[in-house]
Amino acid sequence: IQRSIAQEYSKLNSNKLEDLKKQNEKLLKKLVLLSDDQELLNQIQWQSIQSILEPNQAALEFVLFPKTEGLLEPKENIYAALLIRKDDPKPILVNKFKESDLKKLLGDVKIKRIEYVNKFYYLSNKNPNANSLYQLVWKNIIPFLHDIKTVYYSPVGLLNTINASALPISSWKNLQDSFNLVLVQSTRNLLELKNNSQNQTNREILLVGGVEYNKMNDNDLAANIEDTKSQSFATRSFFSFYNNDTTFRNSKWKYLPGSLQEVDKLNSIFKNAKWNCNKFTGIEATESQFKSFGKSTSRENSPAVIHISTHGFFFPDPNYASALNNAFQRCKDPMIRSGLILSGANSSWQQADPKIADEEDGILTAYEISLMDLNNTDLVVLSACETGLGEVQGSEGVYGLQRAFKIAGVKNIIMSLWQVPDKQTAELMELFYKNWLIEKMSTRAALASAQKTMRDKKLEPYYWAGFVLME
């Protein structure tokens, strides 16, 4: 029923959706009543987190206190940070600030390109206020971390849109130069991190890239690839259409030549490491092909690694948007307004309806991903634009691709916070996997080292700091 709901959501006018949703709700209630899983009811106490910390480690949970009408309660939303260290008698409130101050800094930016990134991550004489986010969010926390090397931190609300590791402290030093920052959905996940180990026997990778977004024959595809080889400045988002106009219905997703080169190189790297590689490119990179790797009935294990190199999208709340001509834009469910673009998607994107009944439309939404079984997948790499974004709902976290893959069972996710460039992203990913497979670095260290290599080349943060690892 949920798979049917996902398909109906993509249609402009569905007369089945509401009935399917009611059926789904009834079944969910029955499942909850039948479940005897005590894990659903367990409450994690802060002492449990403290007990597994090393003396040089800390857990930092950001929280959001909503405004209330009481005389003694906050009159506006307040962010705060609670710190747990090994020997403290209780958590410490180390910083609090107004949401209005954070919003004022971030601004109402719809297009997160290089100008947006430099504003917060590139500190120089020409941009002396680029450490404003650091000063608001992290500066007051630093004095409490004098003996700490590793900080497990869980952001909340708008803090999910920030790469804390890349925030500049000075023109030559970033936050990641002082601390090993580990991004987690919640500090309660530390209990799982301590128990989780990589499945050494699962050496299978799924590679998706060089996707052909039009439905065409092989001759047309070859001509299309040749025509787009000169796109040196392409990005992997919905701002890379052939014809950008005021509506998305008349636009098409551009082919990304860098993504094909990326998965071809990664295919060679993994084959040399004796991994079983499943590579899908061009017209073969279909939604149905991808979903086949997440069906427990058809495969014993999902791949250890899934790498997707394509366009990504996220649309804001339709209540605050204009020109809503696309069914994915108009949907109230944020898990439908976030997704990845696969083979043949242009036809469905323009018409918001598959050509044939029950045919996959090439638009892989977060909702659909959440229905997959990826419990044996250690790492998903979303090599696309803004894949870490989604709708922020108070303390509930981010509703989008990151939540979808976590629900599906994935342990670690590498995702992006802004529009990443096609060419440099391919280079970053090659460096990351070489560090991970050949140099035997941890996932976290491999990404940090790859980003440092790009940084040492004097590339601006836009080119390397967009990707974060959520464990």
Side-chain angles (χ1 to χ4, degrees):
I1 287 176
Q2 287 179 335
R3 292 192 182 99
S4 297
I5 288 173
Q7 192 170 63
E8 292 300 313
Y9 261 131
S10 68
K11 299 179 181 179
L12 280 173
N13 297 295
S14 170
N15 54 10
K16 301 178 182 179
L17 186 57
E18 290 306 315
D19 184 53
L20 286 170
K21 288 165 72 173
K22 289 177 182 177
Q23 292 181 51
N24 182 56
E25 187 176 355
K26 287 181 180 178
L27 286 174
L28 284 174
K29 288 179 179 178
K30 285 185 179 180
L31 284 170
V32 171
L33 291 173
L34 290 169
S35 174
D36 59 356
D37 188 356
Q38 290 301 309
E39 288 294 320
L40 293 173
L41 305 175
N42 284 347
Q43 294 293 317
I44 303 299
Q45 303 297 323
W46 68 267
Q47 291 91 341
S48 300
I49 305 300
Q50 186 183 55
S51 67
I52 62 173
L53 291 174
E54 301 294 335
N56 63 350
Q57 296 178 340
L60 188 66
E61 183 88 26
F62 286 95
V63 292
L64 179 59
F65 297 103
K67 63 181 179 180
T68 60
E69 300 302 324
L71 292 175
L72 300 177
E73 303 297 336
K75 301 301 181 183
E76 63 174 298
N77 291 349
I78 300 293
Y79 283 83
L82 290 165
L83 181 69
I84 301 174
R85 297 184 301 193
K86 185 67 177 176
D87 299 320
D88 287 339
K90 60 183 180 181
I92 310 170
L93 183 67
V94 292
N95 190 25
K96 63 178 182 178
F97 52 93
K98 299 176 182 177
E99 185 177 56
S100 57
D101 291 336
L102 182 58
K103 284 184 175 181
K104 185 177 180 181
L105 274 180
L106 293 175
D108 187 22
V109 180
K110 296 293 190 299
I111 306 176
K112 296 186 177 180
R113 292 179 175 172
I114 190 167
E115 298 84 4
Y116 167 86
V117 177
N118 283 348
K119 180 180 177 182
F120 303 114
Y121 299 94
Y122 189 57
L123 188 63
S124 65
N125 292 332
K126 294 182 179 179
N127 192 20
N129 298 318
N131 63 351
S132 53
L133 280 177
Y134 163 76
Q135 291 182 2
L136 178 67
V137 181
W138 284 90
K139 186 178 180 180
N140 293 334
I141 300 173
I142 301 303
F144 296 89
L145 303 175
H146 56 86
D147 55 348
I148 301 297
K149 291 184 179 179
T150 299
V151 180
Y152 298 94
Y153 76 102
S154 173
V156 68
L158 294 172
L159 298 179
N160 285 286
T161 65
I162 299 169
N163 183 355
S165 295
L167 290 177
I169 299 174
S170 66
S171 59
W172 53 272
K173 187 177 182 181
N174 291 354
L175 200 54
Q176 64 187 354
D177 298 323
S178 299
F179 304 99
N180 178 24
L181 296 179
V182 183
L183 173 64
V184 292
Q185 274 191 316
S186 168
T187 51
R188 65 178 289 146
N189 294 133
L190 267 63
L191 298 173
E192 299 172 16
L193 286 178
K194 292 293 181 179
N195 298 325
N196 282 343
S197 59
Q198 188 175 338
N199 186 349
Q200 300 295 328
T201 60
N202 186 356
R203 295 172 64 84
E204 183 177 11
I205 182 171
L206 170 62
L207 293 164
V208 178
V211 179
E212 174 47 55
Y213 307 109
N214 296 319
K215 292 182 178 180
M216 51 177 63
N217 59 42
D218 291 339
N219 291 331
D220 291 333
L221 174 59
N224 185 39
I225 294 174
E226 189 64 33
D227 182 53
T228 55
K229 282 183 178 178
S230 61
Q231 294 178 23
S232 301
F233 303 103
T235 61
R236 300 179 180 186
S237 75
F238 59 77
F239 293 102
S240 287
F241 287 126
Y242 283 117
N243 300 303
N244 230 350
D245 61 6
T246 55
T247 72
F248 297 115
R249 286 286 296 283
N250 296 322
S251 303
K252 292 184 178 181
W253 298 91
K254 284 184 180 180
Y255 178 79
L256 294 168
S259 73
L260 178 62
Q261 298 163 14
E262 181 178 315
V263 294
D264 282 345
K265 286 183 179 179
L266 296 184
N267 190 55
S268 298
I269 292 172
F270 274 89
K271 279 190 173 180
N272 289 336
K274 308 301 182 185
W275 276 56
N276 179 22
C277 299
N278 303 281
K279 185 182 73 168
F280 297 98
T281 62
I283 56 177
E284 294 182 349
T286 63
E287 184 179 355
S288 58
Q289 190 70 260
F290 180 84
K291 286 180 178 178
S292 71
F293 284 83
K295 291 182 179 179
S296 55
T297 55
S298 60
R299 294 176 181 272
E300 292 184 3
N301 295 306
S302 57
V305 178
I306 297 175
H307 182 96
I308 310 171
S309 179
T310 185
H311 288 293
F313 68 90
F314 166 68
F315 293 116
D317 189 331
N319 291 329
Y320 303 100
S322 58
L324 301 178
N325 297 294
N326 186 287
F328 300 97
Q329 285 178 279
R330 300 190 318 178
C331 186
K332 293 181 179 180
D333 190 333
M335 300 289 275
I336 299 294
R337 301 199 307 270
S338 178
L340 298 166
I341 303 300
L342 297 176
S343 174
N346 273 340
S347 175
S348 302
W349 189 263
Q350 291 178 294
Q351 300 179 29
D353 211 350
K355 289 282 188 183
I356 305 171
D358 299 323
E359 179 186 359
E360 298 286 9
D361 56 15
I363 302 164
L364 183 66
T365 64
Y367 185 94
E368 292 172 296
I369 292 167
S370 71
L371 305 178
M372 297 175 66
D373 179 4
L374 300 174
N375 278 289
N376 290 289
T377 299
D378 292 310
L379 175 66
V380 163
V381 179
L382 301 175
S383 186
C385 282
E386 301 181 326
T387 50
L389 301 184
E391 183 166 300
V392 177
Q393 297 189 359
S395 299
E396 292 298 312
V398 179
Y399 285 80
L401 288 169
Q402 61 168 279
R403 178 176 290 250
F405 278 106
K406 282 293 184 179
I407 292 173
V410 174
K411 297 176 182 64
N412 304 293
I413 306 171
I414 291 180
M415 55 196 180
S416 61
L417 298 179
W418 53 72
Q419 289 185 38
V420 294
D422 187 34
K423 180 180 177 182
Q424 287 79 8
T425 296
E427 182 181 355
L428 177 70
M429 291 301 163
E430 184 179 356
L431 288 168
F432 162 71
Y433 282 111
K434 284 182 177 178
N435 290 339
W436 188 59
L437 280 175
I438 300 172
E439 302 300 328
K440 305 299 181 183
M441 295 182 184
S442 67
T443 309
R444 193 190 314 153
L447 178 61
S449 178
Q451 290 176 321
K452 186 178 185 303
T453 300
M454 303 285 280
R455 183 179 166 193
D456 290 343
K457 291 182 178 182
K458 307 301 180 184
L459 289 173
E460 296 172 64
Y462 168 74
Y463 295 102
W464 56 266
F467 286 93
V468 295
L469 169 66
M470 174 170 281
E471 301 188 35

XYZ file of all heavy atoms in Angstrom, residues 54-122:
573
model
N 34.931 8.177 26.133
C 36.313 8.161 26.606
C 36.599 9.507 27.267
O 35.884 10.499 27.027
C 37.266 7.918 25.443
C 37.037 6.621 24.684
C 37.331 5.391 25.519
O 38.139 5.500 26.467
O 36.743 4.330 25.234
N 37.664 9.605 28.088
C 37.978 10.875 28.755
C 38.197 12.051 27.804
O 37.959 13.201 28.169
C 39.261 10.552 29.531
C 39.179 9.081 29.786
C 38.526 8.502 28.561
N 38.659 11.762 26.577
C 38.903 12.849 25.614
C 37.764 13.010 24.606
O 37.943 13.591 23.542
C 40.218 12.608 24.875
C 40.203 11.335 24.037
O 39.282 10.524 24.135
N 41.230 11.145 23.230
N 36.572 12.479 24.944
C 35.414 12.580 24.069
C 34.280 13.331 24.768
O 34.187 13.340 25.995
C 34.917 11.185 23.661
C 35.905 10.379 22.841
C 35.381 8.997 22.516
O 34.479 8.485 23.178
N 35.949 8.379 21.482
N 33.422 13.940 23.956
C 32.257 14.645 24.491
C 31.079 14.442 23.550
O 31.254 14.208 22.347
C 32.552 16.129 24.651
N 29.883 14.524 24.106
C 28.649 14.444 23.317
C 27.921 15.782 23.441
O 27.704 16.279 24.551
C 27.767 13.309 23.816
N 27.577 16.358 22.306
C 26.948 17.678 22.286
C 25.605 17.576 21.580
O 25.539 17.289 20.387
C 27.864 18.669 21.564
C 27.472 20.148 21.609
C 27.570 20.683 23.032
C 28.373 20.955 20.685
N 24.542 17.801 22.326
C 23.187 17.723 21.766
C 22.608 19.134 21.685
O 22.412 19.803 22.707
C 22.295 16.857 22.655
C 20.886 16.656 22.115
C 20.783 15.467 21.180
O 21.596 14.535 21.294
O 19.863 15.481 20.334
N 22.370 19.589 20.456
C 21.694 20.874 20.290
C 20.188 20.655 20.441
O 19.638 19.668 19.938
C 22.002 21.473 18.918
C 23.399 22.024 18.797
C 24.424 21.255 18.274
C 23.688 23.313 19.223
C 25.705 21.751 18.160
C 24.971 23.826 19.118
C 25.987 23.047 18.593
N 19.536 21.571 21.140
C 18.089 21.469 21.361
C 17.434 22.790 20.996
O 18.086 23.832 20.949
C 17.761 21.100 22.826
C 18.203 19.685 23.129
C 18.425 22.073 23.787
N 16.148 22.710 20.717
C 15.390 23.896 20.323
C 14.196 24.058 21.259
O 13.328 23.184 21.326
C 14.913 23.759 18.879
C 14.083 24.898 18.291
C 14.850 26.212 18.312
C 13.653 24.567 16.858
N 14.181 25.151 22.015
C 13.064 25.452 22.908
C 12.090 26.372 22.175
O 12.444 27.505 21.843
C 13.556 26.134 24.181
C 14.471 25.276 25.009
C 15.833 25.478 24.997
C 13.951 24.257 25.797
C 16.683 24.688 25.767
C 14.787 23.459 26.561
C 16.158 23.678 26.549
N 10.871 25.923 21.922
C 9.912 26.752 21.181
C 9.360 27.880 22.035
O 9.285 27.780 23.267
C 8.814 25.761 20.796
C 8.869 24.715 21.861
C 10.320 24.599 22.273
N 8.983 28.936 21.372
C 8.391 30.064 22.087
C 7.042 29.652 22.663
O 6.330 28.811 22.117
C 8.223 31.259 21.149
C 7.269 31.025 19.980
C 7.192 32.269 19.115
C 6.259 32.026 17.913
N 6.168 33.211 17.046
N 6.702 30.237 23.798
C 5.428 29.944 24.455
C 4.795 31.252 24.914
O 5.384 32.323 24.806
C 5.623 29.020 25.664
O 6.493 29.675 26.599
C 6.235 27.694 25.261
N 3.594 31.142 25.470
C 2.850 32.335 25.891
C 2.959 32.605 27.388
O 2.417 33.573 27.888
C 1.368 32.168 25.516
C 1.121 31.979 24.022
C 1.656 33.116 23.176
O 1.594 34.273 23.645
O 2.142 32.847 22.072
N 3.644 31.722 28.146
C 3.751 31.895 29.590
C 4.590 33.110 29.968
O 5.457 33.550 29.200
N 4.378 33.622 31.157
C 5.094 34.814 31.603
C 6.590 34.577 31.731
O 7.403 35.464 31.454
C 4.533 35.275 32.966
C 3.110 35.830 32.953
C 2.652 36.115 34.379
C 3.032 37.100 32.110
N 6.979 33.362 32.157
C 8.390 33.079 32.404
C 9.028 32.257 31.290
O 10.185 31.885 31.388
C 8.537 32.336 33.740
C 8.029 33.081 34.978
C 8.179 32.207 36.217
C 8.785 34.392 35.161
N 8.263 31.953 30.238
C 8.776 31.118 29.154
C 9.353 31.982 28.039
O 9.062 33.174 27.944
C 7.647 30.229 28.601
C 6.998 29.352 29.653
C 7.967 28.356 30.265
O 8.965 28.018 29.605
O 7.748 27.939 31.411
N 10.205 31.386 27.172
C 10.805 32.173 26.083
C 9.751 32.740 25.132
O 8.777 32.078 24.804
C 11.706 31.155 25.371
C 11.220 29.818 25.815
C 10.664 30.001 27.181
N 9.969 33.973 24.723
C 9.038 34.652 23.827
C 9.349 34.381 22.354
O 8.621 34.791 21.467
C 9.068 36.166 24.085
C 8.689 36.558 25.516
C 7.293 36.083 25.894
C 6.931 36.519 27.315
N 5.620 36.020 27.731
N 10.481 33.729 22.111
C 10.820 33.322 20.748
C 11.619 32.027 20.814
O 12.054 31.607 21.892
C 11.611 34.416 20.031
C 12.964 34.729 20.652
C 13.737 35.719 19.793
O 14.031 35.377 18.641
O 14.019 36.816 20.273
N 11.793 31.379 19.687
C 12.510 30.114 19.665
C 13.961 30.319 20.104
O 14.643 31.240 19.638
C 12.490 29.516 18.261
C 11.097 29.040 17.869
O 10.194 28.965 18.708
N 10.917 28.720 16.598
N 14.415 29.435 20.989
C 15.770 29.527 21.522
C 16.519 28.226 21.228
O 16.020 27.133 21.523
C 15.765 29.769 23.053
C 15.042 31.068 23.400
C 17.187 29.755 23.609
C 15.745 32.314 22.934
N 17.721 28.338 20.650
C 18.614 27.201 20.483
C 19.523 27.102 21.705
O 19.888 28.116 22.300
C 19.497 27.361 19.246
C 18.799 27.078 17.936
C 18.034 28.053 17.303
C 18.921 25.838 17.311
C 17.400 27.801 16.099
C 18.298 25.576 16.112
C 17.533 26.561 15.506
O 16.910 26.299 14.325
N 19.874 25.878 22.068
C 20.811 25.675 23.174
C 21.644 24.438 22.883
O 21.306 23.615 22.028
C 20.067 25.527 24.496
N 22.771 24.336 23.605
C 23.661 23.193 23.441
C 23.915 22.560 24.800
O 24.305 23.239 25.746
C 24.974 23.632 22.807
N 23.670 21.258 24.889
C 23.904 20.507 26.118
C 25.110 19.601 25.924
O 25.157 18.806 24.975
C 22.670 19.676 26.476
C 21.446 20.478 26.938
C 20.198 19.609 26.901
C 21.672 21.016 28.339
N 26.069 19.715 26.828
C 27.339 18.997 26.708
C 27.447 17.906 27.767
O 27.209 18.146 28.949
C 28.506 19.984 26.858
C 29.915 19.403 26.742
C 30.189 18.950 25.306
C 30.957 20.428 27.185
N 27.808 16.705 27.327
C 28.074 15.592 28.235
C 29.545 15.220 28.117
O 30.027 14.915 27.025
C 27.199 14.360 27.912
C 25.714 14.709 28.004
C 27.525 13.203 28.851
C 24.802 13.572 27.564
N 30.257 15.260 29.243
C 31.656 14.813 29.298
C 31.776 13.653 30.285
O 30.887 13.414 31.092
C 32.573 15.969 29.702
C 32.566 17.111 28.698
C 33.556 18.208 29.080
N 33.263 18.767 30.413
C 33.799 19.878 30.873
N 34.657 20.561 30.122
N 33.493 20.319 32.085
N 32.901 12.960 30.229
C 33.062 11.707 30.964
C 32.853 11.854 32.469
O 32.176 11.027 33.093
C 34.457 11.136 30.675
C 34.701 9.762 31.293
C 33.811 8.713 30.650
C 34.089 7.332 31.190
N 33.158 6.312 30.626
N 33.409 12.874 33.082
C 33.417 12.962 34.544
C 32.522 14.052 35.120
O 32.580 14.332 36.321
C 34.862 13.178 35.032
C 35.768 12.020 34.637
O 35.315 10.867 34.723
O 36.918 12.276 34.227
N 31.693 14.670 34.285
C 30.805 15.721 34.802
C 29.617 15.097 35.545
O 29.089 14.059 35.122
C 30.288 16.597 33.665
C 31.371 17.511 33.113
O 32.357 17.750 33.831
O 31.226 17.978 31.964
N 29.173 15.716 36.646
C 28.038 15.163 37.397
C 26.707 15.273 36.653
O 25.757 14.568 36.975
C 28.027 16.000 38.678
C 28.701 17.282 38.307
C 29.743 16.915 37.293
N 26.625 16.154 35.676
C 25.394 16.316 34.902
C 25.724 17.043 33.599
O 26.797 17.642 33.462
C 24.353 17.111 35.689
C 24.809 18.520 36.070
C 23.747 19.228 36.905
C 24.216 20.641 37.281
N 23.213 21.351 38.109
N 24.827 17.009 32.604
C 25.052 17.771 31.365
C 25.153 19.268 31.655
O 24.532 19.774 32.595
C 23.811 17.459 30.521
C 23.293 16.178 31.063
C 23.600 16.199 32.532
N 25.941 19.962 30.833
C 26.163 21.392 31.017
C 25.518 22.158 29.866
O 25.686 21.798 28.695
C 27.674 21.727 31.041
C 28.417 20.807 32.009
C 27.896 23.182 31.407
C 29.922 20.925 31.886
N 24.785 23.210 30.200
C 24.263 24.108 29.189
C 25.390 25.061 28.790
O 25.782 25.927 29.573
C 23.069 24.899 29.722
C 22.369 25.829 28.731
C 21.681 25.037 27.637
C 21.352 26.716 29.450
N 25.971 24.875 27.604
C 27.182 25.606 27.228
C 26.930 26.773 26.284
O 27.814 27.594 26.068
C 28.232 24.654 26.613
C 28.747 23.703 27.672
C 27.648 23.874 25.434
N 25.757 26.840 25.709
C 25.478 27.974 24.818
C 23.986 28.047 24.533
O 23.299 27.034 24.463
C 26.237 27.829 23.497
C 26.169 29.088 22.652
O 25.978 30.183 23.179
N 26.325 28.963 21.346
N 23.475 29.245 24.400
C 22.111 29.422 23.916
C 22.056 30.716 23.110
O 22.788 31.673 23.377
C 21.105 29.434 25.059
C 21.246 30.552 26.066
C 20.148 30.450 27.120
C 20.239 31.593 28.125
N 19.149 31.520 29.133
N 21.205 30.705 22.099
C 21.084 31.884 21.231
C 19.707 31.883 20.585
O 19.029 30.851 20.515
C 22.185 31.905 20.165
C 22.307 30.635 19.364
C 21.629 30.476 18.160
C 23.103 29.580 19.817
C 21.734 29.315 17.426
C 23.214 28.407 19.089
C 22.538 28.272 17.899
N 19.297 33.030 20.098
C 17.976 33.195 19.515
C 17.938 32.659 18.084
O 18.877 32.856 17.316
C 17.574 34.666 19.520
C 17.487 35.299 20.908
C 17.187 36.785 20.781
C 17.146 37.461 22.144
N 16.919 38.915 22.017
N 16.818 32.032 17.750
C 16.646 31.573 16.373
C 16.620 32.756 15.412
O 17.105 32.653 14.282
C 15.352 30.767 16.243
C 15.173 30.165 14.849
C 13.934 29.321 14.729
O 12.842 29.856 15.025
O 14.036 28.144 14.356
N 16.101 33.872 15.851
C 16.043 35.057 14.989
C 17.445 35.513 14.596
O 17.660 35.983 13.468
C 15.300 36.202 15.691
O 15.918 36.523 16.925
N 18.423 35.375 15.515
C 19.807 35.743 15.186
C 20.392 34.802 14.141
O 21.134 35.230 13.249
C 20.676 35.723 16.453
C 20.314 36.829 17.419
O 19.745 37.852 16.977
O 20.586 36.684 18.632
N 20.064 33.516 14.261
C 20.551 32.540 13.289
C 19.919 32.777 11.928
O 20.607 32.745 10.892
C 20.250 31.126 13.780
C 20.746 29.975 12.901
C 22.245 30.046 12.709
C 20.331 28.632 13.499
N 18.612 33.037 11.909
C 17.925 33.304 10.639
C 18.463 34.561 9.972
O 18.583 34.627 8.746
C 16.420 33.433 10.875
C 15.705 32.118 11.107
C 14.208 32.325 11.224
C 13.469 31.005 11.322
N 11.998 31.194 11.412
N 18.774 35.550 10.780
C 19.305 36.799 10.237
C 20.640 36.561 9.549
O 20.928 37.142 8.496
C 19.452 37.829 11.354
C 19.877 39.209 10.887
C 19.926 40.186 12.048
C 20.363 41.573 11.574
N 20.435 42.531 12.720
N 21.463 35.710 10.137
C 22.756 35.384 9.541
C 22.592 34.591 8.251
O 23.203 34.909 7.224
C 23.596 34.569 10.521
C 24.433 35.317 11.552
C 25.189 34.335 12.418
C 25.400 36.277 10.878
N 21.776 33.539 8.319
C 21.628 32.653 7.165
C 20.886 33.325 6.021
O 21.171 33.078 4.849
C 20.894 31.380 7.578
C 21.639 30.453 8.546
C 20.734 29.303 8.968
C 22.910 29.926 7.918
N 19.928 34.196 6.352
C 19.144 34.839 5.308
C 18.193 33.870 4.653
O 18.171 32.670 4.937
N 17.401 34.381 3.754
C 16.425 33.560 3.036
C 16.998 33.194 1.676
O 16.581 33.696 0.635
C 15.104 34.325 2.890
C 14.003 33.452 2.301
O 14.122 32.219 2.401
O 13.048 34.009 1.740
N 17.999 32.290 1.690
C 18.720 31.938 0.469
C 18.092 30.699 -0.160
O 18.017 29.651 0.471
C 20.211 31.682 0.759
C 20.953 31.311 -0.520
C 20.839 32.917 1.384
N 17.646 30.825 -1.397
C 17.056 29.696 -2.112
C 18.109 28.956 -2.944
O 18.026 27.758 -3.138
C 15.932 30.182 -3.031
C 14.754 30.807 -2.291
C 14.014 29.791 -1.461
C 12.709 30.350 -0.913
N 12.888 31.500 -0.029
N 19.100 29.685 -3.457
C 20.107 29.106 -4.342
C 21.444 29.094 -3.615
O 22.071 30.132 -3.444
C 20.230 29.895 -5.662
C 18.864 30.016 -6.347
C 21.223 29.224 -6.593
C 18.883 30.864 -7.593
N 21.869 27.913 -3.178
C 23.095 27.812 -2.382
C 24.279 27.524 -3.289
O 24.725 26.386 -3.432
C 22.922 26.747 -1.306
C 21.838 27.126 -0.306
C 21.740 26.165 0.830
C 20.692 26.644 1.831
N 20.541 25.743 2.972
N 24.791 28.607 -3.871
C 25.935 28.510 -4.756
C 27.164 29.084 -4.087
O 27.202 29.298 -2.891
C 25.618 29.207 -6.084
C 24.556 28.469 -6.903
C 24.253 29.188 -8.196
N 23.333 28.423 -9.019
C 22.784 28.871 -10.137
N 23.039 30.089 -10.564
N 21.958 28.116 -10.825
N 28.199 29.373 -4.881
C 29.497 29.728 -4.335
C 29.458 31.006 -3.495
O 30.146 31.113 -2.481
C 30.547 29.850 -5.477
C 31.959 29.972 -4.887
C 30.222 31.004 -6.417
C 33.040 29.769 -5.922
N 28.616 31.978 -3.859
C 28.534 33.211 -3.081
C 28.001 32.936 -1.678
O 28.487 33.478 -0.697
C 27.634 34.233 -3.794
C 28.133 34.682 -5.157
C 27.740 33.714 -6.263
O 27.013 32.727 -5.962
O 28.163 33.923 -7.412
N 27.010 32.067 -1.584
C 26.439 31.697 -0.293
C 27.486 30.996 0.566
O 27.642 31.288 1.764
C 25.231 30.785 -0.513
C 24.741 30.087 0.736
C 23.842 30.702 1.602
C 25.189 28.808 1.058
C 23.393 30.073 2.748
C 24.749 28.161 2.205
C 23.859 28.797 3.043
O 23.424 28.167 4.175
N 28.214 30.063 -0.029
C 29.200 29.279 0.721
C 30.330 30.172 1.235
O 30.730 30.089 2.397
C 29.759 28.144 -0.156
C 30.852 27.372 0.593
C 28.638 27.207 -0.574
N 30.854 31.037 0.370
C 31.957 31.918 0.772
C 31.567 32.856 1.904
O 32.401 33.239 2.727
C 32.445 32.729 -0.424
C 33.304 31.908 -1.369
O 33.717 30.798 -1.019
N 33.574 32.426 -2.543
N 30.295 33.194 1.966
C 29.828 34.114 3.000
C 30.075 33.567 4.402
O 30.303 34.331 5.350
C 28.332 34.374 2.792
C 27.721 35.334 3.810
C 26.238 35.538 3.531
C 25.604 36.447 4.587
N 24.144 36.632 4.362
N 30.059 32.231 4.561
C 30.185 31.621 5.879
C 31.443 30.776 6.067
O 31.808 30.466 7.197
C 28.968 30.741 6.167
C 27.665 31.470 6.093
C 26.738 31.175 5.117
C 27.368 32.482 6.991
C 25.531 31.846 5.044
C 26.166 33.166 6.922
C 25.254 32.853 5.945
N 32.102 30.383 4.978
C 33.185 29.419 5.104
C 34.531 29.910 4.573
O 35.514 29.186 4.678
C 32.817 28.111 4.374
C 31.585 27.444 4.929
C 30.326 27.690 4.378
C 31.668 26.564 6.002
C 29.185 27.072 4.883
C 30.530 25.939 6.513
C 29.302 26.201 5.953
O 28.179 25.592 6.458
N 34.569 31.099 3.994
C 35.819 31.590 3.401
C 36.206 32.911 4.056
O 35.783 33.986 3.638
C 35.656 31.762 1.886
C 36.947 32.058 1.155
C 38.030 31.193 1.242
C 37.071 33.201 0.373
C 39.210 31.452 0.571
C 38.254 33.477 -0.309
C 39.315 32.603 -0.200
O 40.490 32.867 -0.865
